[in-house]
Amino acid sequence: MRILLAPMEGLLDYRLRDTLTKIGGYDECVSEFIRVNDTLLPAHRIYRFVPELHQNSRTMAGIPVKVQLLGSDINCMAENASMVASLGAYGIDLNFGCPAPTVNRNRGGAALLKEPDLMYSIVKSVRSAVPSHIPVTAKMRLGFDSTEQALVCAKALEDGGANEIVVHARTKTDGYKPPAYWEWIHKIIETVKIPVVANGEIWTVTDAIRCMEISGCENIMIGRGAVANPSLALMIRKKQQDPHSWNDTKGILRSYWEKLELDMDTTSRGGRIKQWLHYLSRQYFEAERDFEIVKRFRKLDEFETYWMET
């Protein structure tokens, strides 16, 4: 079994990757998507999203990080993938799953699920541009507004040369509303010969076990569940039901705050802590209490007092 840490736009960035992979249980991470339009991106922009490239494309805990690209221009995707590979990327991941309306309106993410031929061409072009020892993988949903072309899209990715597919078991229209349709992942596994990773609605050890049983998938990717319960990957790997205590989790939260202090502006810092506490409240009642306290904070010294008093 492999456990992958998913990207989450605006939250699960390199700082949180570092924090969560230090806790343990992960085999691999994927970066937040880097949008590709019609130009070759400068290296400094890639490094801004994936500073792990400076350390052999690994987090401080040694977990490899794939760089995720999002776009619809076949040639530009290939050129940027080649450049990212030259920076020492562990792997290239292609985003065909983002449901954000602003992304979809610009022919990106899940919008491409309506164009499996284009998906094929993008993967084929990227695979040709990237050295063979660097994996090219893709993430998809079950479709845009229906599952009608789910198997066609998965086959297009395989035929284009993808080494692996991560399947978020919902359509774009489903968004993040439960349930996740894990049985569709099983259909995809029966259609393609490359490895498939199951993703979507894995919040607990029980969810992970059920997902693997229903999908027939040995490998899983977790995102929101990992943010809500930082010890989830370890719990799944060890098949245990006890998460870290709230005191331990509060220490992890404080460590994350210290990372934010290094290079994030003051307003965004507070927002990230509020955002993470909101997710943690799903697992810890104490987090819900603390969220109610900090959501009113407007000044950094209020956060500093909070860390010292709680």
Side-chain angles (χ1 to χ4, degrees), residues 69 73-83 122 125-126 129-130:
L69 301 179
D73 186 302
I74 298 169
N75 292 328
C76 278
M77 286 288 282
E79 289 172 2
N80 279 278
S82 176
M83 188 270 290
I122 290 171
S125 180
V126 168
V130 171

Side-chain angles (χ1 to χ4, degrees), residues 141-266:
R141 283 177 173 251
L142 297 178
F144 190 81
D145 50 15
S146 77
T147 57
E148 185 177 350
Q149 294 199 93
L151 302 183
V152 175
C153 288
K155 197 72 175 69
L157 296 175
E158 178 184 42
D159 291 346
N163 299 103
E164 181 175 82
I165 305 172
V166 176
V167 181
H168 184 116
R170 285 181 273 231
T171 65
K172 182 273 177 191
T173 304
D174 292 331
Y176 295 96
K177 294 177 296 188
Y181 301 97
W182 297 324
E183 64 275 10
W184 265 97
I185 300 178
H186 184 68
K187 295 178 184 180
I188 289 172
I189 289 174
E190 292 182 323
T191 301
V192 302
K193 295 181 175 62
I194 58 175
V196 176
V197 179
N199 174 235
E201 214 59 25
I202 300 173
W203 297 93
T204 66
V205 175
T206 301
D207 290 338
I209 292 170
R210 286 188 60 247
C211 174
M212 288 186 279
E213 288 175 348
I214 293 170
S215 69
C217 226
E218 294 180 355
N219 308 314
I220 60 173
M221 172 180 276
I222 56 178
R224 294 180 302 154
V227 178
N229 177 2
S231 52
L232 180 59
L234 278 179
M235 292 168 63
I236 293 170
R237 195 170 291 286
K238 296 179 179 179
K239 293 184 172 60
Q240 64 185 44
Q241 298 294 331
D242 297 324
H244 282 99
S245 69
W246 175 241
N247 282 340
D248 288 342
T249 303
K250 192 68 171 291
I252 294 166
L253 197 62
R254 175 61 195 256
S255 172
Y256 176 61
W257 171 262
E258 290 169 353
K259 288 183 177 65
L260 296 177
E261 286 184 309
L262 296 175
D263 60 2
M264 182 173 281
D265 66 76
T266 55

